[in-house]
């Protein structure tokens, strides 16, 4: 990651002072990789957005901002969705828009309550498709137990959009006594994942590339607030950090937490749950499942004494049946993610520069 040289508190971004062994700052225009959850996107946040908007709530850089309102705490999160195609095996842009924001609130330790929904529509977009998107959102909201209470609609000229883009913002109430975040992982913590990885990204790519397998690859798109509530009810403060590994996949999420908490993370590669058809699709396309996006999985960093109980609770939930213990937090190699391979060797898993799969959420 590039480091800023100069006054850290300056509110004006100074691109000339960026430094990096790779020319990450040498882009006069936005490229697709800036939206991929990798190093390019991180640089935009660190060197452009954060200096301009700096405040304590933003600096946490979690999935949601934690805000003090009166006598209570709330979480607020926003996300935009540009997935292509709009409908895919296991979901749609409508379900994704609701579930993605619900999950960002839930992994921040909040009970999601309300969403806004804003639509950017292209002239000529079929009304029947919009109706299907809206119904998918309504169904997802009902399943997650949240209400869509406000929104906006804009239309752009034909050829200036791609059918339908959606932005959702969510508000949730923080659970009393729960304080989780990407900076709270501790040495000794056990790393759990709630199920198979790479399902969503490969469901999108299998449709785009026309890949067919004996079993259809389906997105894992789902609201995780119920599953997370069960874990928090069971082990409470034993959970130190949670993230949903969306863009950039499991690898980017674990690297972000290692950096934020200044710890090392070691995972056991053979323990990673990956569906056979997802692994096969990744091999065909030259992709690594740990970098492929998920939209219905959560990673937990749990105190060792609470790990077995948390894993039992996960596996008892329909969305956690394939949950697995995949690694631990170490004081060695801080800010690095290391995987133990099936051959007994170690490999460093770095954050990617850009993205493997554009337009997957």
């Amino acid at each position: 990651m590039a480091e800023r040289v100069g006054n850290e508190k300056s509110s004006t971004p100074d691109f000339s002072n960026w430094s990096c062994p790779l020319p990450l700052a040498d882009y006069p225009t936005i490229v697709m990789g800036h939206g991929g959850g990798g190093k390019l996107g991180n640089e935009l946040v660190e060197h452009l957005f954060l200096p301009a908007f700096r405040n304590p709530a933003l600096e946490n850089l979690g999935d949601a901002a934690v805000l003090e309102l009166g006598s209570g705490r709330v979480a607020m999160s926003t996300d935009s969705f540009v997935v292509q195609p709009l409908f895919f095996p296991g979901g749609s842009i409508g379900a994704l828009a609701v579930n993605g924001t619900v999950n960002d609130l839930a992994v921040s330790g909040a009970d999601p309550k309300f969403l806004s929904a804003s639509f950017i529509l292209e002239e000529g977009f079929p009304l029947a498709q919009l109706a299907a998107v809206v119904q998918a959102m309504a169904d997802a909201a009902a399943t997650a137990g949240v209400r869509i209470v406000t929104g906006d609609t804009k239309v752009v000229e034909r050829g200036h959009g791609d059918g339908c883009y959606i932005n959702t913002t969510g508000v949730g109430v923080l659970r009393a006594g729960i304080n989780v975040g990407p900076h709270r992982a501790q040495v000794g913590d056990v790393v759990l994942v709630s199920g198979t990885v790479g399902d969503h990204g490969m469901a999108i790519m299998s449709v785009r590339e026309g890949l067919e397998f004996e079993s259809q690859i389906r997105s894992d798109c789902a609201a995780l607030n119920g599953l997370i509530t069960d874990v928090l009810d069971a082990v409470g403060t034993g959970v130190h950090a949670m993230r949903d590994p969306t863009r950039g996949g499991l690898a980017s999420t674990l690297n972000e937490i290692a950096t934020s908490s200044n710890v090392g993370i070691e995972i056991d590669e053979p323990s990673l749950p990956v569906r056979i058809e997802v692994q096969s699709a990744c091999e065909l396309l030259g992709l690594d499942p740990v970098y492929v996006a998920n939209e219905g999985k959560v990673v937990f960093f749990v105190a060792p004494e609470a790990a077995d109980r948390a894993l039992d609770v996960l596996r008892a939930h329909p969305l956690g049946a394939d949950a697995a213990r995949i690694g631990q937090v170490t004081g060695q190699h801080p800010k690095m993610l290391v995987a133990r391979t099936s051959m007994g060797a170690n490999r460093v898993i770095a954050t990617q520069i850009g993205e493997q799969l554009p337009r997957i959420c």
Side-chain angles (χ1 to χ4, degrees):
M1 172 59 67
E3 295 182 355
R4 185 183 178 89
V5 179
N7 184 359
E8 290 288 343
K9 296 183 179 180
S10 172
S11 62
T12 302
D14 183 0
F15 299 107
S16 65
N17 287 337
W18 291 20
S19 63
C20 185
L22 294 175
L24 299 184
D26 293 343
Y27 290 92
T29 61
I30 292 295
V31 298
M32 290 298 292
H34 281 116
K39 290 185 177 180
L40 286 175
N42 291 343
E43 284 217 335
L44 279 183
V45 173
E46 181 180 353
H47 295 294
L48 182 61
F49 299 133
L50 187 56
F53 305 141
R54 189 178 300 276
N55 63 77
L58 179 61
E59 288 175 348
N60 182 47
L61 295 180
D63 289 290
V66 175
L67 308 170
E68 299 283 349
L69 292 181
S71 60
R73 295 183 306 155
V74 300
M76 180 179 179
S77 182
T78 190
D79 207 347
S80 297
F81 299 86
V82 296
V83 65
Q84 190 59 236
L86 301 180
F87 297 87
F88 45 84
S92 69
I93 190 173
L96 198 59
V98 170
N99 293 335
T101 297
V102 165
N103 293 344
D104 283 345
L105 293 170
V107 297
S108 300
D111 180 14
K113 295 294 186 182
F114 306 105
L115 302 183
S116 71
S118 295
F119 298 83
I120 298 176
L121 306 173
E122 183 182 13
E123 179 186 20
F125 185 62
L127 195 58
Q129 285 194 41
L130 179 59
V133 169
V134 170
Q135 186 59 54
M137 292 184 73
D139 293 343
T143 299
V146 297
R147 287 184 285 170
I148 299 173
V149 295
T150 189
D152 183 46
T153 303
K154 295 292 190 296
V155 177
V156 298
E157 298 88 348
R158 191 185 303 266
H160 288 260
D162 197 4
C164 175
Y165 302 146
I166 301 175
N167 172 273
T168 48
T169 296
V171 176
V173 177
L174 268 295
R175 291 172 61 109
I178 298 298
N179 191 4
V180 298
H183 61 290
R184 295 185 62 85
Q186 302 176 17
V187 172
D189 279 354
V190 174
V191 184
L192 307 176
V193 66
S194 65
T196 53
V197 299
D199 296 351
H200 174 72
M202 295 320 300
I204 299 296
M205 289 305 293
S206 65
V207 173
R208 290 183 190 171
E209 301 296 328
L211 301 178
E212 295 184 2
F213 301 91
E214 290 186 7
S215 299
Q216 184 185 53
I217 301 177
R218 296 179 60 82
S219 170
D220 57 350
C221 180
L224 298 168
N225 50 324
L227 177 146
I228 290 171
T229 293
D230 286 354
V231 174
L232 292 178
D233 285 345
V235 301
T237 57
V239 178
H240 297 153
M242 298 181 284
R243 294 297 288 265
D244 55 331
T246 53
R247 291 179 302 168
L250 181 66
S252 294
T253 293
L254 295 181
N255 270 295
E256 288 172 6
I257 291 178
T259 299
S260 295
S261 298
N262 195 28
V263 296
I265 298 176
E266 298 176 351
I267 60 173
D268 180 44
E269 208 164 42
S271 298
L272 295 177
V274 183
R275 297 188 191 280
I276 293 175
E277 56 269 31
V278 169
Q279 182 68 54
S280 299
C282 285
E283 290 174 356
L284 282 174
L285 297 173
L287 304 175
D288 189 332
V290 297
Y291 290 108
V292 179
N294 312 271
E295 289 292 345
K297 301 299 186 306
V298 58
V299 179
F300 294 89
F301 286 72
V302 183
E305 64 273 14
D308 288 342
R309 175 61 177 151
L311 189 57
D312 288 342
V313 171
L314 283 171
R315 289 174 172 169
H317 193 283
L319 296 178
D322 296 316
R325 178 175 181 151
I326 62 170
Q328 60 281 322
V329 177
T330 176
Q332 301 178 24
H333 52 77
K335 300 185 179 182
M336 292 179 62
L337 171 62
V338 175
R340 186 76 169 173
T341 71
S342 58
M343 303 296 293
N346 291 329
R347 71 178 179 115
V348 175
I349 302 179
T351 302
Q352 291 193 316
I353 301 297
E355 63 183 337
Q356 292 189 119
L357 309 173
R359 302 284 301 278
I360 46 89
C361 64

